[in-house]
Amino acid sequence: MMQDVWTQLGPTIAAIMFSYTMYQNYFPHELRGHIRRYTDKIVSYFYPYMHIIFHEHETDGWFERSKPYVAIERYLSKNSCTQAKRLKANSVKNGESLVLTMDDHEEITDEYKGEKVWWTSSQKAASRQTISLYREDEKRYFKLKLHRKNRDLITNSYLKYVLDEGKAISVRERQRKLYTNNKGEAGGWYRYRGGRMWSGVVFEHPSTFDTLAMDPNKKKEIMDDLETFSKSKDYYAKIGKAWKRGYLLYGPPGTGKSSMIAAMANFLQYDVYDLELTSVKDNTELRKLLIDTTSKSIIVIEDIDCSLELTGQREKNKKKDKEDKEKSEEDAVKEKMKKELEGKEKKSEVTLSGLLNFIDGLWSAIGGERLIVFTTNYVEKLDPALIRRGRMDKHIVLSYCCFESFKVLAHNYLNIIESHVYFPEIRRLLEETNMTPADIAENLMPKSSKENADICLERLIKALETAKEEAKSKAEEEDRAKEEAKLKAEEEERTKVAEKEKEEKDAEKKKELKDTEEAKNADGVNNKENGAKENGDVSKG
């Protein structure tokens, strides 16, 4: 019986193959397009399903993978392990873990609010042989198949759910990076390594808020502020502000500004972009660097008072303009030639205005969910426009070590949880002298395996006493210097007064001599006139 079936199917299959060959060889391409279009319409009229395609690469940009594709890939990874027969393994977190996703031409099912959908991973081979530097010849894509009746549910709700879940998984499992900007030179985009403006390494700084030497109340305040910011996307949109926040960290060297930045990054699970302003060519390049950063990141400019000459820049520009107007044409030509020669060696042309636009200009709203952090040892040197509220929203003072900060360090370095017999003495010394957390930590750190907590604390007490004596000696020297300067100023003042009195006396003497001389001259003139008059009278007689 099976032989009869195959006997009947044979001519039918042959006829279909013959018809398809005639169609391919003799039907014009334009006509085939019309036939295909109308055939698809007829089939779609009876076919109860629809498809949505998500391509791996977008048509524009830097040949990067499509963000929706990546989010879908991460979302589907949880179902791929249980349903797909063939899997692909990708490493994350510097090879510490693997993410398994379905291989090409695999299909898995997913369910959302009681409705089933089908996901397929496919690829389309290149139509011609090409040489590609950035992507493979095959064009990969995900295909989502759904029933027509569920169109609104899937397009309005399910897809948003998939993208949000995929992004959340990526954030939890991503490998956080520490970036620095590549130095720009004359030329185009190719001057950057690999066509990128930032170079990154794995961010592995161990600092957390638990290890920070800081007053617990102040620490809690900062953590609450950061957590509130990270959950305020809708609030920032409601009030019409870009989703960013500025932090100014200032205080003496060694007070933990860099450790604070690392703790903030670890607390929020953000990347860190360490921006070196002296390597930025001009304001345009600064803007491009901002555009090339990602969301969920901290942009850091450390020691901003030393990075560029931004303090009092506007006043200097006004003074310079005034001097330029007063120069002659010859001087102006010489100055222009000098500027051209210096321009070849000039490192950066970033201005205060460009930096202000970088912080809160129109371009600062790109990406969202960013922190901008400035650090400085001398906040008084910065232009007030740079650190005003709205640009640097929260100012955090990191000062010398207090007793509460010391207890954190004692717990970190010596594992002292409660108290110690030396703590009262250390509390008294910390109230009487200033020492940075970095210096405290150095004294608490054991220098050999034989040193215990008592030895380290005794070393710290000696260091605090030495610092106290040095501070006292320095204060006495300053007082002596001030007293000497005061005495010197008084002596100079007395000398000036004496010199002034002497000058006044000399002036009076000169005036008296001048008056006497004028009186003598006047008497001589009168005597001559009287003698001449007497001689005239004698002649007449």
mmCIF file with all atom_site columns, all heavy atoms in Angstrom, residues 112-128:
data_model
loop_
_atom_site.group_PDB
_atom_site.id
_atom_site.type_symbol
_atom_site.label_atom_id
_atom_site.label_alt_id
_atom_site.label_comp_id
_atom_site.label_asym_id
_atom_site.label_entity_id
_atom_site.label_seq_id
_atom_site.pdbx_PDB_ins_code
_atom_site.Cartn_x
_atom_site.Cartn_y
_atom_site.Cartn_z
_atom_site.occupancy
_atom_site.B_iso_or_equiv
_atom_site.pdbx_formal_charge
_atom_site.auth_seq_id
_atom_site.auth_comp_id
_atom_site.auth_asym_id
_atom_site.auth_atom_id
_atom_site.pdbx_PDB_model_num
ATOM 1   N N   . TYR A 1 112 ? 3.333  34.631 29.267 1.00 0.00 ? 112 TYR A N   1
ATOM 2   C CA  . TYR A 1 112 ? 3.121  35.924 29.915 1.00 0.00 ? 112 TYR A CA  1
ATOM 3   C C   . TYR A 1 112 ? 1.628  36.146 30.109 1.00 0.00 ? 112 TYR A C   1
ATOM 4   O O   . TYR A 1 112 ? 0.863  36.201 29.133 1.00 0.00 ? 112 TYR A O   1
ATOM 5   C CB  . TYR A 1 112 ? 3.720  37.054 29.057 1.00 0.00 ? 112 TYR A CB  1
ATOM 6   C CG  . TYR A 1 112 ? 3.587  38.426 29.651 1.00 0.00 ? 112 TYR A CG  1
ATOM 7   C CD1 . TYR A 1 112 ? 4.358  38.821 30.737 1.00 0.00 ? 112 TYR A CD1 1
ATOM 8   C CD2 . TYR A 1 112 ? 2.681  39.350 29.130 1.00 0.00 ? 112 TYR A CD2 1
ATOM 9   C CE1 . TYR A 1 112 ? 4.253  40.087 31.277 1.00 0.00 ? 112 TYR A CE1 1
ATOM 10  C CE2 . TYR A 1 112 ? 2.560  40.619 29.662 1.00 0.00 ? 112 TYR A CE2 1
ATOM 11  C CZ  . TYR A 1 112 ? 3.341  40.981 30.733 1.00 0.00 ? 112 TYR A CZ  1
ATOM 12  O OH  . TYR A 1 112 ? 3.217  42.254 31.273 1.00 0.00 ? 112 TYR A OH  1
ATOM 13  N N   . LYS A 1 113 ? 1.232  36.214 31.356 1.00 0.00 ? 113 LYS A N   1
ATOM 14  C CA  . LYS A 1 113 ? -0.175 36.422 31.710 1.00 0.00 ? 113 LYS A CA  1
ATOM 15  C C   . LYS A 1 113 ? -1.076 35.387 31.044 1.00 0.00 ? 113 LYS A C   1
ATOM 16  O O   . LYS A 1 113 ? -2.154 35.700 30.505 1.00 0.00 ? 113 LYS A O   1
ATOM 17  C CB  . LYS A 1 113 ? -0.630 37.840 31.348 1.00 0.00 ? 113 LYS A CB  1
ATOM 18  C CG  . LYS A 1 113 ? 0.066  38.909 32.166 1.00 0.00 ? 113 LYS A CG  1
ATOM 19  C CD  . LYS A 1 113 ? -0.480 40.295 31.851 1.00 0.00 ? 113 LYS A CD  1
ATOM 20  C CE  . LYS A 1 113 ? 0.197  41.350 32.729 1.00 0.00 ? 113 LYS A CE  1
ATOM 21  N NZ  . LYS A 1 113 ? -0.305 42.715 32.458 1.00 0.00 ? 113 LYS A NZ  1
ATOM 22  N N   . GLY A 1 114 ? -0.597 34.130 31.046 1.00 0.00 ? 114 GLY A N   1
ATOM 23  C CA  . GLY A 1 114 ? -1.399 33.036 30.514 1.00 0.00 ? 114 GLY A CA  1
ATOM 24  C C   . GLY A 1 114 ? -1.320 32.847 29.019 1.00 0.00 ? 114 GLY A C   1
ATOM 25  O O   . GLY A 1 114 ? -1.922 31.899 28.488 1.00 0.00 ? 114 GLY A O   1
ATOM 26  N N   . GLU A 1 115 ? -0.615 33.709 28.303 1.00 0.00 ? 115 GLU A N   1
ATOM 27  C CA  . GLU A 1 115 ? -0.506 33.600 26.847 1.00 0.00 ? 115 GLU A CA  1
ATOM 28  C C   . GLU A 1 115 ? 0.902  33.149 26.467 1.00 0.00 ? 115 GLU A C   1
ATOM 29  O O   . GLU A 1 115 ? 1.889  33.575 27.054 1.00 0.00 ? 115 GLU A O   1
ATOM 30  C CB  . GLU A 1 115 ? -0.810 34.949 26.178 1.00 0.00 ? 115 GLU A CB  1
ATOM 31  C CG  . GLU A 1 115 ? -2.181 35.512 26.505 1.00 0.00 ? 115 GLU A CG  1
ATOM 32  C CD  . GLU A 1 115 ? -3.312 34.628 25.996 1.00 0.00 ? 115 GLU A CD  1
ATOM 33  O OE1 . GLU A 1 115 ? -3.069 33.835 25.056 1.00 0.00 ? 115 GLU A OE1 1
ATOM 34  O OE2 . GLU A 1 115 ? -4.433 34.731 26.527 1.00 0.00 ? 115 GLU A OE2 1
ATOM 35  N N   . LYS A 1 116 ? 0.955  32.266 25.483 1.00 0.00 ? 116 LYS A N   1
ATOM 36  C CA  . LYS A 1 116 ? 2.235  31.675 25.078 1.00 0.00 ? 116 LYS A CA  1
ATOM 37  C C   . LYS A 1 116 ? 2.796  32.389 23.853 1.00 0.00 ? 116 LYS A C   1
ATOM 38  O O   . LYS A 1 116 ? 2.058  32.763 22.938 1.00 0.00 ? 116 LYS A O   1
ATOM 39  C CB  . LYS A 1 116 ? 2.037  30.187 24.776 1.00 0.00 ? 116 LYS A CB  1
ATOM 40  C CG  . LYS A 1 116 ? 3.327  29.435 24.439 1.00 0.00 ? 116 LYS A CG  1
ATOM 41  C CD  . LYS A 1 116 ? 3.065  27.962 24.182 1.00 0.00 ? 116 LYS A CD  1
ATOM 42  C CE  . LYS A 1 116 ? 2.685  27.239 25.458 1.00 0.00 ? 116 LYS A CE  1
ATOM 43  N NZ  . LYS A 1 116 ? 2.604  25.776 25.234 1.00 0.00 ? 116 LYS A NZ  1
ATOM 44  N N   . VAL A 1 117 ? 4.135  32.556 23.850 1.00 0.00 ? 117 VAL A N   1
ATOM 45  C CA  . VAL A 1 117 ? 4.849  33.111 22.695 1.00 0.00 ? 117 VAL A CA  1
ATOM 46  C C   . VAL A 1 117 ? 6.049  32.214 22.401 1.00 0.00 ? 117 VAL A C   1
ATOM 47  O O   . VAL A 1 117 ? 6.468  31.416 23.258 1.00 0.00 ? 117 VAL A O   1
ATOM 48  C CB  . VAL A 1 117 ? 5.328  34.557 22.956 1.00 0.00 ? 117 VAL A CB  1
ATOM 49  C CG1 . VAL A 1 117 ? 4.154  35.498 23.132 1.00 0.00 ? 117 VAL A CG1 1
ATOM 50  C CG2 . VAL A 1 117 ? 6.257  34.618 24.165 1.00 0.00 ? 117 VAL A CG2 1
ATOM 51  N N   . TRP A 1 118 ? 6.605  32.334 21.207 1.00 0.00 ? 118 TRP A N   1
ATOM 52  C CA  . TRP A 1 118 ? 7.723  31.508 20.780 1.00 0.00 ? 118 TRP A CA  1
ATOM 53  C C   . TRP A 1 118 ? 8.877  32.422 20.330 1.00 0.00 ? 118 TRP A C   1
ATOM 54  O O   . TRP A 1 118 ? 8.683  33.356 19.546 1.00 0.00 ? 118 TRP A O   1
ATOM 55  C CB  . TRP A 1 118 ? 7.323  30.594 19.621 1.00 0.00 ? 118 TRP A CB  1
ATOM 56  C CG  . TRP A 1 118 ? 6.286  29.588 19.986 1.00 0.00 ? 118 TRP A CG  1
ATOM 57  C CD1 . TRP A 1 118 ? 6.462  28.295 20.342 1.00 0.00 ? 118 TRP A CD1 1
ATOM 58  C CD2 . TRP A 1 118 ? 4.858  29.807 20.030 1.00 0.00 ? 118 TRP A CD2 1
ATOM 59  N NE1 . TRP A 1 118 ? 5.274  27.673 20.617 1.00 0.00 ? 118 TRP A NE1 1
ATOM 60  C CE2 . TRP A 1 118 ? 4.261  28.580 20.428 1.00 0.00 ? 118 TRP A CE2 1
ATOM 61  C CE3 . TRP A 1 118 ? 4.030  30.907 19.769 1.00 0.00 ? 118 TRP A CE3 1
ATOM 62  C CZ2 . TRP A 1 118 ? 2.887  28.442 20.565 1.00 0.00 ? 118 TRP A CZ2 1
ATOM 63  C CZ3 . TRP A 1 118 ? 2.668  30.774 19.912 1.00 0.00 ? 118 TRP A CZ3 1
ATOM 64  C CH2 . TRP A 1 118 ? 2.106  29.545 20.320 1.00 0.00 ? 118 TRP A CH2 1
ATOM 65  N N   . TRP A 1 119 ? 10.053 32.137 20.844 1.00 0.00 ? 119 TRP A N   1
ATOM 66  C CA  . TRP A 1 119 ? 11.265 32.873 20.466 1.00 0.00 ? 119 TRP A CA  1
ATOM 67  C C   . TRP A 1 119 ? 12.173 31.956 19.650 1.00 0.00 ? 119 TRP A C   1
ATOM 68  O O   . TRP A 1 119 ? 12.425 30.804 20.042 1.00 0.00 ? 119 TRP A O   1
ATOM 69  C CB  . TRP A 1 119 ? 12.032 33.358 21.698 1.00 0.00 ? 119 TRP A CB  1
ATOM 70  C CG  . TRP A 1 119 ? 11.405 34.502 22.421 1.00 0.00 ? 119 TRP A CG  1
ATOM 71  C CD1 . TRP A 1 119 ? 10.596 34.435 23.513 1.00 0.00 ? 119 TRP A CD1 1
ATOM 72  C CD2 . TRP A 1 119 ? 11.553 35.884 22.119 1.00 0.00 ? 119 TRP A CD2 1
ATOM 73  N NE1 . TRP A 1 119 ? 10.214 35.689 23.914 1.00 0.00 ? 119 TRP A NE1 1
ATOM 74  C CE2 . TRP A 1 119 ? 10.801 36.613 23.072 1.00 0.00 ? 119 TRP A CE2 1
ATOM 75  C CE3 . TRP A 1 119 ? 12.241 36.597 21.135 1.00 0.00 ? 119 TRP A CE3 1
ATOM 76  C CZ2 . TRP A 1 119 ? 10.720 37.992 23.066 1.00 0.00 ? 119 TRP A CZ2 1
ATOM 77  C CZ3 . TRP A 1 119 ? 12.171 37.978 21.122 1.00 0.00 ? 119 TRP A CZ3 1
ATOM 78  C CH2 . TRP A 1 119 ? 11.417 38.668 22.080 1.00 0.00 ? 119 TRP A CH2 1
ATOM 79  N N   . THR A 1 120 ? 12.692 32.466 18.540 1.00 0.00 ? 120 THR A N   1
ATOM 80  C CA  . THR A 1 120 ? 13.596 31.710 17.678 1.00 0.00 ? 120 THR A CA  1
ATOM 81  C C   . THR A 1 120 ? 14.853 32.527 17.429 1.00 0.00 ? 120 THR A C   1
ATOM 82  O O   . THR A 1 120 ? 14.774 33.737 17.143 1.00 0.00 ? 120 THR A O   1
ATOM 83  C CB  . THR A 1 120 ? 12.936 31.378 16.331 1.00 0.00 ? 120 THR A CB  1
ATOM 84  O OG1 . THR A 1 120 ? 11.700 30.706 16.560 1.00 0.00 ? 120 THR A OG1 1
ATOM 85  C CG2 . THR A 1 120 ? 13.851 30.493 15.487 1.00 0.00 ? 120 THR A CG2 1
ATOM 86  N N   . SER A 1 121 ? 16.009 31.893 17.553 1.00 0.00 ? 121 SER A N   1
ATOM 87  C CA  . SER A 1 121 ? 17.284 32.528 17.228 1.00 0.00 ? 121 SER A CA  1
ATOM 88  C C   . SER A 1 121 ? 17.712 32.074 15.837 1.00 0.00 ? 121 SER A C   1
ATOM 89  O O   . SER A 1 121 ? 17.848 30.867 15.595 1.00 0.00 ? 121 SER A O   1
ATOM 90  C CB  . SER A 1 121 ? 18.351 32.140 18.257 1.00 0.00 ? 121 SER A CB  1
ATOM 91  O OG  . SER A 1 121 ? 19.608 32.671 17.887 1.00 0.00 ? 121 SER A OG  1
ATOM 92  N N   . SER A 1 122 ? 17.917 33.034 14.941 1.00 0.00 ? 122 SER A N   1
ATOM 93  C CA  . SER A 1 122 ? 18.238 32.696 13.551 1.00 0.00 ? 122 SER A CA  1
ATOM 94  C C   . SER A 1 122 ? 19.354 33.586 13.049 1.00 0.00 ? 122 SER A C   1
ATOM 95  O O   . SER A 1 122 ? 19.768 34.547 13.706 1.00 0.00 ? 122 SER A O   1
ATOM 96  C CB  . SER A 1 122 ? 16.997 32.850 12.658 1.00 0.00 ? 122 SER A CB  1
ATOM 97  O OG  . SER A 1 122 ? 15.952 32.032 13.111 1.00 0.00 ? 122 SER A OG  1
ATOM 98  N N   . GLN A 1 123 ? 19.827 33.269 11.864 1.00 0.00 ? 123 GLN A N   1
ATOM 99  C CA  . GLN A 1 123 ? 20.821 34.095 11.209 1.00 0.00 ? 123 GLN A CA  1
ATOM 100 C C   . GLN A 1 123 ? 20.598 34.058 9.711  1.00 0.00 ? 123 GLN A C   1
ATOM 101 O O   . GLN A 1 123 ? 20.102 33.084 9.159  1.00 0.00 ? 123 GLN A O   1
ATOM 102 C CB  . GLN A 1 123 ? 22.239 33.626 11.541 1.00 0.00 ? 123 GLN A CB  1
ATOM 103 C CG  . GLN A 1 123 ? 22.597 32.269 10.976 1.00 0.00 ? 123 GLN A CG  1
ATOM 104 C CD  . GLN A 1 123 ? 24.040 31.898 11.262 1.00 0.00 ? 123 GLN A CD  1
ATOM 105 O OE1 . GLN A 1 123 ? 24.700 32.561 12.038 1.00 0.00 ? 123 GLN A OE1 1
ATOM 106 N NE2 . GLN A 1 123 ? 24.518 30.840 10.641 1.00 0.00 ? 123 GLN A NE2 1
ATOM 107 N N   . LYS A 1 124 ? 20.980 35.156 9.077  1.00 0.00 ? 124 LYS A N   1
ATOM 108 C CA  . LYS A 1 124 ? 20.850 35.280 7.632  1.00 0.00 ? 124 LYS A CA  1
ATOM 109 C C   . LYS A 1 124 ? 22.229 35.448 7.044  1.00 0.00 ? 124 LYS A C   1
ATOM 110 O O   . LYS A 1 124 ? 22.956 36.376 7.412  1.00 0.00 ? 124 LYS A O   1
ATOM 111 C CB  . LYS A 1 124 ? 19.965 36.477 7.283  1.00 0.00 ? 124 LYS A CB  1
ATOM 112 C CG  . LYS A 1 124 ? 19.746 36.668 5.789  1.00 0.00 ? 124 LYS A CG  1
ATOM 113 C CD  . LYS A 1 124 ? 18.853 37.866 5.528  1.00 0.00 ? 124 LYS A CD  1
ATOM 114 C CE  . LYS A 1 124 ? 18.646 38.068 4.028  1.00 0.00 ? 124 LYS A CE  1
ATOM 115 N NZ  . LYS A 1 124 ? 17.814 39.278 3.763  1.00 0.00 ? 124 LYS A NZ  1
ATOM 116 N N   . ALA A 1 125 ? 22.622 34.556 6.149  1.00 0.00 ? 125 ALA A N   1
ATOM 117 C CA  . ALA A 1 125 ? 23.951 34.627 5.548  1.00 0.00 ? 125 ALA A CA  1
ATOM 118 C C   . ALA A 1 125 ? 24.056 35.845 4.652  1.00 0.00 ? 125 ALA A C   1
ATOM 119 O O   . ALA A 1 125 ? 23.075 36.330 4.077  1.00 0.00 ? 125 ALA A O   1
ATOM 120 C CB  . ALA A 1 125 ? 24.227 33.363 4.752  1.00 0.00 ? 125 ALA A CB  1
ATOM 121 N N   . ALA A 1 126 ? 25.285 36.364 4.534  1.00 0.00 ? 126 ALA A N   1
ATOM 122 C CA  . ALA A 1 126 ? 25.529 37.534 3.686  1.00 0.00 ? 126 ALA A CA  1
ATOM 123 C C   . ALA A 1 126 ? 25.257 37.177 2.235  1.00 0.00 ? 126 ALA A C   1
ATOM 124 O O   . ALA A 1 126 ? 25.561 36.080 1.767  1.00 0.00 ? 126 ALA A O   1
ATOM 125 C CB  . ALA A 1 126 ? 26.963 38.025 3.855  1.00 0.00 ? 126 ALA A CB  1
ATOM 126 N N   . SER A 1 127 ? 24.695 38.139 1.492  1.00 0.00 ? 127 SER A N   1
ATOM 127 C CA  . SER A 1 127 ? 24.355 37.900 0.090  1.00 0.00 ? 127 SER A CA  1
ATOM 128 C C   . SER A 1 127 ? 25.573 37.873 -0.804 1.00 0.00 ? 127 SER A C   1
ATOM 129 O O   . SER A 1 127 ? 25.548 37.327 -1.892 1.00 0.00 ? 127 SER A O   1
ATOM 130 C CB  . SER A 1 127 ? 23.373 38.973 -0.395 1.00 0.00 ? 127 SER A CB  1
ATOM 131 O OG  . SER A 1 127 ? 23.953 40.256 -0.231 1.00 0.00 ? 127 SER A OG  1
ATOM 132 N N   . ARG A 1 128 ? 26.695 38.495 -0.367 1.00 0.00 ? 128 ARG A N   1
ATOM 133 C CA  . ARG A 1 128 ? 27.924 38.496 -1.153 1.00 0.00 ? 128 ARG A CA  1
ATOM 134 C C   . ARG A 1 128 ? 29.116 38.470 -0.209 1.00 0.00 ? 128 ARG A C   1
ATOM 135 O O   . ARG A 1 128 ? 29.006 38.759 0.968  1.00 0.00 ? 128 ARG A O   1
ATOM 136 C CB  . ARG A 1 128 ? 28.001 39.734 -2.059 1.00 0.00 ? 128 ARG A CB  1
ATOM 137 C CG  . ARG A 1 128 ? 28.040 41.043 -1.304 1.00 0.00 ? 128 ARG A CG  1
ATOM 138 C CD  . ARG A 1 128 ? 28.185 42.204 -2.276 1.00 0.00 ? 128 ARG A CD  1
ATOM 139 N NE  . ARG A 1 128 ? 28.334 43.460 -1.600 1.00 0.00 ? 128 ARG A NE  1
ATOM 140 C CZ  . ARG A 1 128 ? 27.344 44.228 -1.189 1.00 0.00 ? 128 ARG A CZ  1
ATOM 141 N NH1 . ARG A 1 128 ? 26.102 43.849 -1.400 1.00 0.00 ? 128 ARG A NH1 1
ATOM 142 N NH2 . ARG A 1 128 ? 27.565 45.376 -0.577 1.00 0.00 ? 128 ARG A NH2 1
#
